[in-house]
Amino acid sequence: MVFSTKLNQLPKQFFASLVAKVNKKIATGADVINLGQGNPDQATPTFIVEATKQALDDPMTHKYSQFRGNHEYKQAAADFYYQQYGVTVDSETEIAVMGGSKIGLVELPLALLNPGETIVLPDPGYPDYLSGIALADVKSELIPLRPEKGYLPDYSEWSPELKAAAKLLYLNYPNNPTGAQATPEFFDETVQFAKENDLIVVHDFAYGALGNGQTAPASFLQAKGAKEVGVELYTLSKTYNMAGWRIAFAVGNPEVIEAINLIQDHLFVGIFPALQAAGIAALTSGQEPLQKIAAQYASRRQAFVTAAAKIGWQAYPSDGAFYCWMPVPKGHTSESFSDLLLDEVAVAVAPGVGFGEQGEGFVRVGLTIGEARLVEAVERIGTLHLFE
């Protein structure tokens, strides 16, 4: 069998190769501390699981789900946005239900761009953004995110040619892989820039609940006029430890929402009703579960950063998502350093270059294990005396 040209054009799956390396090391009998993935380690809250069990017992959830999602789930999402961010949303025209936010990120170029048109992506950024580029046969331009600018794009650097060509812009804050956060002022600037250049903005808000444990990260939709120029993608994966459940939603501009709904009418039909019941339970539960999970990651971040500082390893100062962004020692690339840690002390991290050229010189450390193991990982790395 010969695969299609389109399938052969898909980018190499970065995380799949990372997992393969880790599994190979584990197969040797090594006690690997895996800090390379962004997979929540805690259980989904019990009240969400119980709500799902009740839904499973209802024969009505066994039928085909509605096209474009159940009204109750979309209303829960709209209410969540008003309660969390003060943003008023029409549940029927400004919410699209998705089986995980990655689906939206991959299908939006197909829904909004014609072959050959241009999407602008952050560098460093989530590698799976590239999948939508290949499937839609569009052009991509990378904009550099630099530590000295807080990993925010500088719109003054855009050339006249890029401004004219760009149709779609992806942003992601709190940022994967750096943990950087956006300010409300930056989002205001983004809205104005998008209006001036006829640009659609897609804000990947996957880590929207994970700030410093005290203050919630800013939503793009809180910026005045944001719904006029774009949408925000919100997933329950990190907010409620529901990564395997695959349920999310897009919120914002009605035309973009209609584009998502239309392409999903043909690709997916709908989401299993019991999963939507789980989403309703999560989104209507109040702030306590969000605050508890955010505080846990903030505590882990502090434990890791403090331990790393003791061996002379200084983290990039971020307080969002559940990652630490760590510089590599002199004489190493991000990949050679990652390989060294796995080979010599059985600690797995993600090389920064896997997130783009601007990620070179750093590794991403996931905070999805307990504090004791995070500190142990640093102690193992300290035995290599790389930061003295």
Side-chain angles (χ1 to χ4, degrees):
M1 180 180 293
V2 179
F3 289 170
S4 69
T5 300
K6 187 72 66 181
L7 200 59
N8 284 321
Q9 289 174 343
L10 289 172
K12 183 179 179 181
Q13 233 297 342
F14 168 65
F15 294 108
S17 59
L18 183 64
V19 168
K21 283 185 177 182
V22 173
N23 288 341
K24 184 177 179 180
K25 184 68 174 180
I26 292 173
T28 68
D31 174 25
V32 175
I33 301 179
N34 190 355
L35 309 180
Q37 294 179 276
N39 195 1
D41 62 310
Q42 298 297 301
T44 302
T46 302
F47 70 90
I48 298 175
V49 176
E50 290 302 319
T52 312
K53 289 179 180 178
Q54 291 180 23
L56 288 171
D57 286 335
D58 181 356
M60 293 302 295
T61 68
H62 306 169
K63 299 177 179 292
Y64 287 122
S65 58
Q66 295 183 34
F67 280 86
R68 305 190 174 195
N70 294 341
H71 171 74
E72 293 79 6
Y73 175 65
K74 290 186 287 186
Q75 188 59 56
D79 293 343
F80 175 85
Y81 254 71
Y82 183 76
Q83 292 160 5
Q84 294 296 317
Y85 307 113
V87 175
T88 301
V89 178
D90 185 294
S91 62
E92 291 303 317
T93 62
E94 296 178 336
I95 296 280
V97 177
M98 301 181 302
S101 59
K102 178 180 174 179
I103 284 177
L105 294 165
V106 172
E107 70 192 2
L108 274 166
L110 281 165
L112 298 175
L113 300 183
N114 295 312
E117 291 186 325
T118 300
I119 180 174
V120 180
L121 302 176
D123 179 9
Y126 181 47
D128 284 3
Y129 295 155
L130 299 174
S131 302
I133 308 307
L135 290 171
D137 198 21
V138 299
K139 296 178 181 177
S140 62
E141 292 287 341
L142 300 177
I143 49 171
L145 309 183
R146 303 186 183 94
E148 61 269 22
K149 293 183 179 291
Y151 285 105
L152 299 174
D154 185 343
Y155 296 126
S156 69
E157 295 179 347
W158 286 38
S159 68
E161 293 77 15
L162 179 57
K163 291 178 183 178
K167 302 293 184 182
L168 192 59
L169 168 65
Y170 277 14
L171 297 172
N172 166 225
Y173 297 99
N175 182 255
N176 176 16
T178 69
Q181 294 213 48
T183 63
E185 293 76 17
F186 168 74
F187 282 145
D188 288 338
E189 179 188 2
T190 298
V191 170
Q192 186 60 35
F193 184 78
K195 288 182 177 181
E196 292 171 355
N197 294 282
D198 195 21
L199 189 64
I200 299 171
V201 178
V202 176
H203 182 227
D204 176 7
F205 205 26
Y207 301 90
L210 304 183
N212 58 16
Q214 299 175 338
T215 304
S219 163
F220 171 65
L221 292 187
Q222 289 175 302
K224 185 177 180 180
K227 284 198 291 185
E228 298 172 30
V229 298
V231 295
E232 191 159 73
L233 272 56
Y234 198 99
T235 174
L236 278 61
S237 294
K238 280 75 175 180
T239 303
Y240 299 101
N241 291 332
M242 295 177 69
W245 297 63
R246 310 311 302 151
I247 186 161
F249 58 91
V251 55
N253 183 273
E255 291 176 284
V256 178
I257 294 300
E258 173 60 22
I260 294 172
N261 280 329
L262 183 55
I263 194 170
Q264 291 193 155
D265 283 349
H266 295 271
L267 290 174
F268 306 114
V269 182
I271 306 297
F272 182 36
L275 285 177
Q276 294 185 66
I280 293 169
L283 293 168
T284 59
S285 64
Q287 296 190 28
E288 185 177 349
L290 286 72
Q291 293 172 338
K292 181 179 179 181
I293 292 170
Q296 180 185 59
Y297 287 124
S299 178
R300 290 178 178 183
R301 179 181 294 106
Q302 187 59 47
F304 184 86
V305 168
T306 299
K310 292 178 181 178
I311 66 169
W313 197 17
Q314 302 296 330
Y316 172 77
S318 60
D319 61 0
F322 51 38
Y323 304 111
C324 286
W325 190 234
M326 308 298 295
V328 305
K330 292 181 180 180
H332 280 280
T333 65
S334 62
E335 196 152 17
S336 71
F337 180 53
S338 300
D339 288 343
L340 177 70
L341 297 188
L342 185 59
D343 292 341
E344 297 295 327
V345 293
V347 174
V349 297
V353 73
F355 301 91
E357 185 178 318
Q358 296 295 323
E360 183 54 79
F362 290 85
V363 295
R364 191 192 74 176
V365 171
L367 303 173
T368 53
I369 62 173
E371 292 181 22
R373 287 285 270 179
L374 288 168
V375 172
E376 181 186 346
V378 174
E379 291 172 346
R380 292 188 191 183
I381 295 168
T383 64
L384 300 175
H385 305 290
L386 297 168
F387 303 97
E388 296 176 351

